[in-house]
C-alpha cells in the first residue's frame, strides 16, 4: 500500500504478528500449494487484520476469509484507510457500511481512515 508510511522493519512486523496478533486474535490462514496466500485476524466483533498476497488479489482469497469471519460473528467492525480504494470497494461489496470517517489523527500511520460495520440481518 503505497499510500502508507513505512513505520516498521520486516522484523518488527514479524514480531508484532507473532507476539500480538497471534496471541490476542483468532487467526485464519489461507494457503495454496503449501504457500500462505492470506490471513484474517479477528477478535469479538472486529476484523483486526485482513491481508491477501498481492499476486492473489481478486482470486477469492479475501472473500473466503471474510465469509468465515462473518459466519462466526453476528456483527463485525473494521478500519480501512480512505486511500485504500480497492479495500473499501471490497468491504462495501460484502455488505459493510461506513460509520465514521477520520482524519487519521488516532491511528499510528496518521492516514485518514473509515470505520465500517456489517451486521447479520
Amino acid at each position: 500500500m503505497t499510500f502508507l508510511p513505512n513505520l516498521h522493519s520486516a522484523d518488527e512486523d514479524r514480531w508484532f504478528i507473532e507476539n500480538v496478533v497471534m496471541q490476542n486474535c483468532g487467526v485464519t490462514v489461507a494457503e495454496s500449494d503449501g504457500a500462505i496466500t492470506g490471513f484474517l485476524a479477528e477478535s469479538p466483533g472486529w476484523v483486526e487484520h485482513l491481508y491477501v498476497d498481492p499476486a492473489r488479489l481478486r482470486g477469492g482469497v479475501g472473500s473466503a476469509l471474510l465469509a468465515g469471519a462473518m459466519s462466526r460473528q453476528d456483527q463485525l467492525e473494521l478500519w480501512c484507510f480512505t486511500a485504500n480504494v480497492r479495500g473499501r470497494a471490497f468491504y462495501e461489496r460484502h455488505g459493510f457500511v461506513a460509520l465514521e470517517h477520520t482524519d487519521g489523527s488516532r491511528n499510528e500511520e496518521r492516514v485518514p481512515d473509515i470505520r465500517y460495520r456489517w451486521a447479520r440481518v
Side-chain angles (χ1 to χ4, degrees), residues 1-48:
M1 291 187 265
T2 58
F3 54 84
L4 291 178
N6 189 7
L7 298 176
H8 303 285
S9 69
D11 286 341
E12 290 170 325
D13 288 340
R14 279 195 232 25
W15 184 93
F16 179 78
I17 295 295
E18 182 179 343
N19 294 287
V20 177
V21 175
M22 296 298 290
Q23 300 302 316
N24 297 304
C25 298
V27 177
T28 304
V29 175
E31 57 183 308
S32 177
D33 298 323
I36 294 174
T37 58
F39 76 90
L40 183 140
E42 64 187 281
S43 61
W46 284 90
V47 173
E48 302 288 351

Side-chain angles (χ1 to χ4, degrees), residues 86-100:
R86 285 177 122 178
R88 291 171 51 198
F90 171 81
Y91 292 122
E92 290 168 11
R93 269 195 318 275
H94 287 85
F96 283 77
V97 176
L99 297 178
E100 174 184 9

